[in-house]
């Protein structure tokens, strides 16, 4: 601002950089406030048995209601990660999801799966926090899955905490599989129980699907099965994709075709509809 005579191009660059930084600062400040005033909430997306469509679990996905507007995690999670706020945000997500899922687990046998960032795994208090939340909410460890993106698992330093959590009965899912660096070849070395095939693979299964795309999906399913991993297909949007995944015997599926992420009340309604109370 001091150099009004400065080059126009440079000042444009400065301005846009400054705008980006101030937007990031605005989001960070908003997130701090949201942690205090409870405007962070969770939506839940059904995870279904591909063969029957029955809902077996739900993925907890964070939402931020800012001035009445729902801000998606794609906007605020990166800022939370850059500022370290993700540790507090992640604990909030876990506590909300476990508290909510305790009833769903008791009544409908549902499990809940919660996303976890690298920063959280590196926080020395993480395992203790998770176990404390289970104790506090009464959710059995078997009913909790933690999702870690594939690239994180490359770092062996991060896997120790996963061993601790698995020993307690918590299951670990590798999220967005196929987008990171891990290869099918060393899948057996990863401390995981569930493999989630990234949406980009499922999107390629168009109607009619190309043989090479089908065989890639089949290869992932076969290898995961041979390692005793349960596979979830992510981003299933069409009946044709669901049918193909059924034929390929992909055990679990998730996507708009089966159900979008919704507020807890709508999961409740969906489960009641699927399990009507006996008429007395
Ligand atoms: P993710 O864990 O891979 O979650 C799946 C994303 O795909 C969700 O986006 C979901 O709404 C979307 N999705 C589900 N089915 C379909 C479909 O059929 N088609 C399409 N196009 N999309 C579908 P969302 O809720 O915007 O979340 C985006 C990402 O933000 C998540 O990806 C996850 O990495 C991150 N995230 C969300 N909540 C949390 C959280 O509590 N903690 C952390 N660390 N990350 C979170
Ligand atoms: Mg996920
Ligand atoms: Mg995913
Ligand atoms: Mg993701």
């Amino acid at each position: 601002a001091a150099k009004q005579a400065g080059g126009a191009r440079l000042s444009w660059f400065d301005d846009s950089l400054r705008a980006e930084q101030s937007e990031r600062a605005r989001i960070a400040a908003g997130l701090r406030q949201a942690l205090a005033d409870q405007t962070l909430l969770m939506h839940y997306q059904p995870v279904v048995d591909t063969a029957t469509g029955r809902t077996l679990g739900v993925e907890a996905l964070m939402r931020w209601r800012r001035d009445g507007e729902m801000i998606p995690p794609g906007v605020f999670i990166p800022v939370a990660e850059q500022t370290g706020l993700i540790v507090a945000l992640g604990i909030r997500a876990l506590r909300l999801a476990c508290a909510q899922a305790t009833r769903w687990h008791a009544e409908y046998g549902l499990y809940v799966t919660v996303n976890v960032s690298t920063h959280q795994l590196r926080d020395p208090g993480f395992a203790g926090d998770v176990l404390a939340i289970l104790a506090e909410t009464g959710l059995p460890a078997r009913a909790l899955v933690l999702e870690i993106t594939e690239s994180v698992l490359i770092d062996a330093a991060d896997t120790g905490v996963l061993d601790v959590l698995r020993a307690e009965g918590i299951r670990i899912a590798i999220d967005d599989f196929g987008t990171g660096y891990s290869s099918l070849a060393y899948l057996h070395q990863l401390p995981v129980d569930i493999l989630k095939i990234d949406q980009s693979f499922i999107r390629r299964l168009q109607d009619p699907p190309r043989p090479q795309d089908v065989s890639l999906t089949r290869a992932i399913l076969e290898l995961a099965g041979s390692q005793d991993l349960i596979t979830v297909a992510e981003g299933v949007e069409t009946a044709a994709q669901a049918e193909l995944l059924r034929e390929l015997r992909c055990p679990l599926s998730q996507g708009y075709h089966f159900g979008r992420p919704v507020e807890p009340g709508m999961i409740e309604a969906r489960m009641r509809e699927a399990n009507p109370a006996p008429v007395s």
Side-chain angles (χ1 to χ4, degrees):
K3 290 183 189 162
Q4 290 200 338
R9 241 184 287 170
L10 244 185
S11 82
W12 173 84
F13 179 78
D14 282 351
D15 286 351
S16 72
L17 196 67
R18 220 176 292 121
E20 200 183 299
Q21 280 169 349
S22 76
E23 172 63 6
R24 216 182 300 148
R26 195 171 85 90
I27 292 173
L31 282 176
R32 266 184 218 101
Q33 183 60 40
L35 275 164
D37 67 16
Q38 323 268 329
T39 47
L40 294 168
L41 44 129
M42 306 309 285
H43 279 185
Y44 297 88
Q45 182 176 35
V47 180
V48 309
D49 177 338
T50 310
T52 63
R54 219 181 117 216
T55 307
L56 299 183
V58 287
E59 178 170 1
L61 295 158
M62 193 172 249
R63 300 290 182 264
W64 174 22
R65 199 195 301 274
R66 187 179 67 184
D67 308 325
E69 184 198 358
M70 248 357 149
I71 317 278
V75 173
F76 66 83
I77 294 284
V79 178
E81 283 174 340
Q82 287 157 13
T83 54
L85 281 167
I86 190 67
V87 173
L89 235 64
I91 290 299
R92 176 66 54 83
L94 260 167
R95 186 169 282 122
L96 289 169
C98 291
Q100 182 68 69
T102 301
R103 253 197 38 239
W104 291 342
H105 178 69
E107 282 181 34
Y108 310 112
L110 294 185
Y111 71 86
V112 66
T113 178
V114 182
N115 293 283
V116 170
S117 293
T118 335
H119 296 64
Q120 291 179 267
L121 288 185
R122 297 196 177 139
D123 178 49
F126 182 68
D129 288 347
V130 173
L131 297 177
I133 288 170
L134 288 181
E136 193 180 298
T137 57
L139 185 73
R142 287 291 307 162
L144 177 63
V145 176
L146 299 178
E147 297 194 6
I148 325 275
T149 48
E150 186 188 359
S151 50
V152 171
L153 291 171
I154 301 308
D155 198 337
D158 294 329
T159 62
V161 62
L162 300 182
D163 294 331
V164 171
L165 294 166
R166 287 179 84 210
E168 296 286 338
I170 293 163
R171 286 173 295 166
I172 307 296
I174 179 167
D175 201 359
D176 304 339
F177 184 81
T179 59
Y181 302 101
S182 54
S183 81
L184 290 170
Y186 73 98
L187 208 50
H188 68 281
Q189 296 176 8
L190 300 176
V192 300
D193 308 280
I194 296 167
L195 182 150
K196 302 188 77 171
I197 305 179
D198 189 63
Q199 317 197 351
S200 56
F201 290 92
I202 308 307
R203 196 172 308 126
R204 280 157 66 175
L205 301 176
Q206 294 301 335
D207 196 13
R210 300 190 313 162
Q212 59 266 49
D213 291 329
V214 175
S215 42
L216 188 54
T217 305
R218 183 183 286 120
I220 296 174
L221 284 164
E222 275 171 8
L223 195 85
S226 75
Q227 305 295 329
D228 288 327
L229 295 174
I230 301 168
T231 311
V232 184
E234 293 194 89
V236 181
E237 293 188 349
T238 68
Q241 286 166 334
E243 181 53 36
L244 180 59
L245 289 161
R246 221 169 277 140
E247 281 166 22
L248 292 173
R249 303 199 183 289
C250 176
L252 300 176
S253 292
Q254 191 180 340
Y256 296 166
H257 174 71
F258 293 105
R260 289 178 179 260
V262 290
E263 50 189 68
M266 292 185 68
I267 294 292
E268 202 79 53
R270 178 189 177 102
M271 296 314 295
R272 268 202 306 271
E273 201 175 311
N275 304 271
V279 186
S280 50

